[in-house]
Amino acid sequence: MAEDRAVRLIEALDLDRLASLAIMGLGKNAGKTTVLNHLIRTCAKAGLPRVLALTSVGRDGEDQDLVTGGMKPRIYVREGTLIATAAGSVGKSDAVLEILALTGIRTATGEVAVARARSNGYLELAGPSIARDLALCETFFRREEADCLYIIDGALDRKSQAGGGLTEAVVLVAGMANAASIEELAEKTAVQAELLKLPSLAEEERQEIEAAMEGKAGARAAIRDIRGEVRLMEMPSLAGHGKEVAQGLAPGDRILFLRGAVTERFVEDLLSNKHFRQMTLAAEDGTRYFIGGRTLARLKQQGVKLEVIHPLILPMVFVNPARGGGSQVDARELVKAVSTAVDVPVMDTGPALV
Amino acid sequence: MLLISRQDRERLGLSQALEACRCLTPQGKRMKLKYRYYGPDEKELLEAELSAVDRLAEYTKHHPLEIRQALGHLSRFRDLRGSLAGLSKARTLDLTELFEIKEAVRLLHQLLKIPVLLARADVLIKPLPEAEALLDPRKMESSGFYLYDEYSARLAGLRQARKKVEIKLESAGGEERSRLLEERSQLLTEENEEERQVRANLSGQLAPYADRLSENLDAAGQLDFRLAKAQLAIRWAASKPDLLEAGATLILEQFYHPVIEAHLSARGAAYERQTVTLAQGTSVLTGANMGGKSVALKAMALSVVLIHLGYFPPCAYAASPLFGFVSYSSDYFDTTKRGLSTFAAEIVKIRDDIRQARHMPGLVILDEPLRGTNPQEATALVRALCRLYAAFPGVLVVATHYEVPAEEGIRHLRLRGIEPGELEEIISGTGDPQSDEEAVRRIESLMDYSIEAVDGSASIPADAIRIAGWLGLDKGVFELLEGEGGGADGRAQT
């Protein structure tokens, strides 16, 4: 039975075909690492012939589990798995690790090493924190195993300056730790799922904007007007420059592309300019929108369309019934509530899966 | 001995020019940054260095595949000073350090497989079969590293035991599971301790090879640096300079400054390469304003410095005696740091150069010395300087607007500048320039930057007033020039 379930999950997630997958949490302690552990076991149970290649998005030394007081969750890897983790974590691993390469990527706990597990065992993943380095890890992995399934535990946070399209697909983990009630969690999940599934800009628009931004590291915003002309705005980061970008919008502008985190505050600033109405707002990918349901509704009300440069596949939402402090909500009720709110399959992260 | 100040080096654009010399290894990069200067008593060493670069440049042209391979290996070398020092001090290395050492040993082994390249580069890498065997007990020749079971039967046994427990754990529950978890934890503790022991043993066994490995890494750095020099030579179309006996005449054919050339070409302007010969004694360079004196001096100095640093200079052909020092001073003196006036700073520099030049052959290049001084006194000082250097063993090149008569040991060189009549032609023939840039461009297009030797004394060029007029200097100024050698329209009265 367990094998059947595992095979079905592999199929649902398309894990025998996907090149890469990110696991994104709705908030802190959503249960991302639990999902990663589930996926690893699932692949083993189903006999997936592909090698898994794992890393996590680091938090630049700010250990997220210290913030909430929980213990840093470890993952249990199988022999043969590839990992990218900081040298500081290598020594703490239960699994026998074969170091394959040192990446030159520096983190607070040492240089990121690419290794292969030579035995099963627990380990801690502490990967890079910026997009370019996450892409570099994938390059190292593919050098070892061209057909590996690259899985990133986590998504770029709002402080990340740039990065999108790091993975082909993303699964969303919504935990009861992220909301006060089942209803609230369902609502928040629906908003996040909608953002993750945002469609791509039209091919021509996407190409023009990408061409205009190419090689311009300081360009954070690109505005395409009705004649198809693209102008760029340079600034150190999007954060704190919402008004500046809003003031840069003129009648006839059609698309505003933002490279970086699109936050509530930024969107508020944009909405203060009437020229922003009816425009299309685009981000690198769905994980780069950090906005809630009310802001999303206001954007729709103003006729603003949301799109992305790199569309993502969202094959599944995982829900985690564990609240902080050890209590749980009813898993079936939770799955049901979230299922009615989103139009992708919803699964419980609980022990039933394995 | 490198007797060129950091300030001079920056003004010369030396480090910018050498950005194009790309070393891949940390060892090679460190060598490059040392700016190793070969003095007059190191001619043989420098000859050997340049010959190695020459052989590598030839090899690079005909063996692109081997070069690509070598560069691929070199690009993976890392700085191992910390780990090697650890080995020498009997510290137990961690897993990543052991990996780094294995990787270095493996890369050195790969380089040894291209013996022709090593021979051309005159680089010796000594095989390290013992260290290789220690780090690759399975003789897999793979690039990865872990604590292999072969290192310790006990470690292998503990791992096996843990594996069995883990298999049982997959299906165990309840008390059985707790017992197995406890057992696993116990085994892991022992495994960790045994791993530490294995690392300690391995570190101890590797320690005797630390010095040889360190020498090999330096050799790889040397190969890297020489290859980078060879590639730079190809890029600059430079050939191996001839090293001449002391006192011989310095020859630079078609020399240029690569940074300035790139800069000019970026704004669509052409750079005219120059040829010059500089005999022992003093050479006085004259030429019109905007005639390219400063650029010529900078490029000359750069080429000579590069030869002394073991590079092929950016010239079609170069031949030079070795100088004990090269001193280059532009008219710009940053004196704010030392609290000296411009004049004082300049005199101090000239004084120091003379002290050096008295007892060793130096190349001293002065770009318009004493330009901010009373012209009569300055002329007298510059003439005296020229006479003094005429008798010194080295070479003084001085660009000046002050008149210096030719005499024994003082030769004159002239930048041709603008042919008489040509400037008048564009001034009268075409309209006023649209912009300063355009005016400058038109003047540049008329300039002949070639350097010619002049018999006797060169006349002092008098294009300044005409050029000032073309650049739109206020007519009021020219009106007041009447009778002073200038016309109301800015044309010189000749």
Side-chain angles (χ1 to χ4, degrees), chain B residues 52-63:
Chain B
V53 174
D54 198 30
R55 288 192 301 267
L56 284 176
E58 267 311 294
Y59 188 79
T60 300
K61 285 177 200 156
H62 301 108
H63 299 84

Side-chain angles (χ1 to χ4, degrees), chain A residues 8-307:
Chain A
R8 280 205 302 277
L9 182 57
I10 298 281
E11 280 171 7
L13 291 169
D14 205 9
L15 294 187
D16 39 16
R17 197 206 53 80
L18 269 187
S20 52
L21 175 76
I23 303 171
M24 182 190 187
L26 194 60
K28 290 200 190 304
N29 288 342
K32 292 189 314 285
T33 309
T34 311
V35 168
L36 176 55
N37 272 318
H38 280 317
L39 293 181
I40 295 169
R41 290 203 70 164
T42 303
C43 292
K45 276 209 152 57
L48 187 77
R50 300 174 71 190
V51 170
L52 301 185
L54 316 173
T55 194
S56 74
V57 179
R59 289 284 180 269
D60 262 339
E62 173 206 330
D63 191 333
Q64 89 183 92
D65 299 284
L66 285 178
V67 176
T68 47
M71 221 176 70
K72 176 118 187 150
R74 301 206 293 173
I75 57 166
Y76 189 77
V77 297
R78 307 284 161 153
E79 190 175 341
T81 303
L82 293 172
I83 58 150
T85 193
S89 304
V90 168
K92 294 188 209 156
S93 164
D94 283 3
V96 177
L97 293 182
E98 177 182 17
I99 310 287
L100 299 172
L102 291 166
T103 58
I105 302 166
R106 307 276 165 187
T107 75
T109 51
E111 184 175 356
V112 173
V114 171
R116 189 190 292 271
R118 286 285 173 179
S119 79
N120 293 356
Y122 286 97
L123 54 81
E124 187 185 283
L125 283 181
S129 50
I130 63 170
R132 193 183 57 221
D133 293 341
L134 288 161
L136 181 62
C137 284
E138 184 172 9
T139 309
F140 273 102
F141 284 145
R142 302 235 177 262
R143 209 176 280 166
E144 298 296 328
E145 297 283 348
D147 184 44
C148 64
L149 169 58
Y150 180 39
I151 302 182
I152 303 177
D153 180 5
L156 296 173
D157 63 11
R158 61 186 68 211
K159 278 178 281 174
S160 297
Q161 291 280 7
L166 278 174
T167 58
E168 203 181 342
V170 59
V171 291
L172 178 62
V173 186
M176 279 310 295
N178 307 133
S181 65
I182 290 183
E183 293 70 32
E184 190 194 326
L185 187 68
E187 208 179 291
K188 279 184 162 179
T189 307
V191 171
Q192 193 60 51
E194 182 174 344
L195 294 171
L196 291 175
K197 288 175 65 181
L198 286 173
S200 166
L201 287 168
E203 188 56 23
E204 184 193 351
E205 297 162 354
R206 190 181 66 76
Q207 278 178 10
E208 279 174 17
I209 288 172
E210 282 195 312
M213 300 284 270
E214 189 166 342
K216 307 249 169 43
R220 300 266 151 237
I223 302 161
R224 187 178 187 271
D225 66 19
I226 195 163
R227 291 164 303 162
E229 283 185 20
V230 179
R231 56 185 200 278
L232 301 179
M233 291 181 78
E234 300 206 3
M235 55 201 82
S237 88
L238 287 178
H241 292 82
K243 290 209 166 63
E244 198 181 321
V245 174
Q247 279 159 11
L249 297 176
D253 288 341
R254 282 289 171 264
I255 299 169
L256 170 63
F257 167 66
L258 298 174
R259 178 151 69 185
V262 183
T263 60
E264 295 264 344
R265 191 141 165 228
F266 201 95
V267 172
E268 285 297 325
D269 287 335
L270 292 176
L271 284 167
S272 67
N273 184 337
K274 64 181 190 313
H275 302 309
F276 184 54
R277 289 174 201 160
Q278 309 297 329
M279 276 182 70
T280 294
L281 174 63
E284 288 153 300
D285 69 25
T287 68
R288 307 304 284 142
Y289 285 102
F290 296 85
I291 58 176
R294 274 178 44 195
T295 305
L296 185 60
R298 275 191 67 199
L299 284 165
K300 285 180 185 167
Q301 201 184 12
Q302 301 286 341
V304 175
K305 249 186 6 186
L306 296 187
E307 292 186 350

Side-chain angles (χ1 to χ4, degrees), chain A residues 41 76 78-79 87 90 94 96-102 111 118-122, chain B residues 78 95-96 99-100 142-146 148 159 162-163 166 170 184 188 191 195:
Chain A
R41 290 203 70 164
Y76 189 77
R78 307 284 161 153
E79 190 175 341
V90 168
D94 283 3
V96 177
L97 293 182
E98 177 182 17
I99 310 287
L100 299 172
L102 291 166
E111 184 175 356
R118 286 285 173 179
S119 79
N120 293 356
Y122 286 97
Chain B
R78 293 166 60 94
L95 190 67
T96 47
F99 164 78
E100 280 188 307
S142 64
S143 59
F145 178 77
Y146 66 107
Y148 301 95
R159 284 173 176 171
R162 172 158 72 96
K163 190 169 184 176
E166 283 169 351
E170 301 254 336
R184 179 178 185 274
L188 267 172
E191 200 178 315
E195 283 190 347

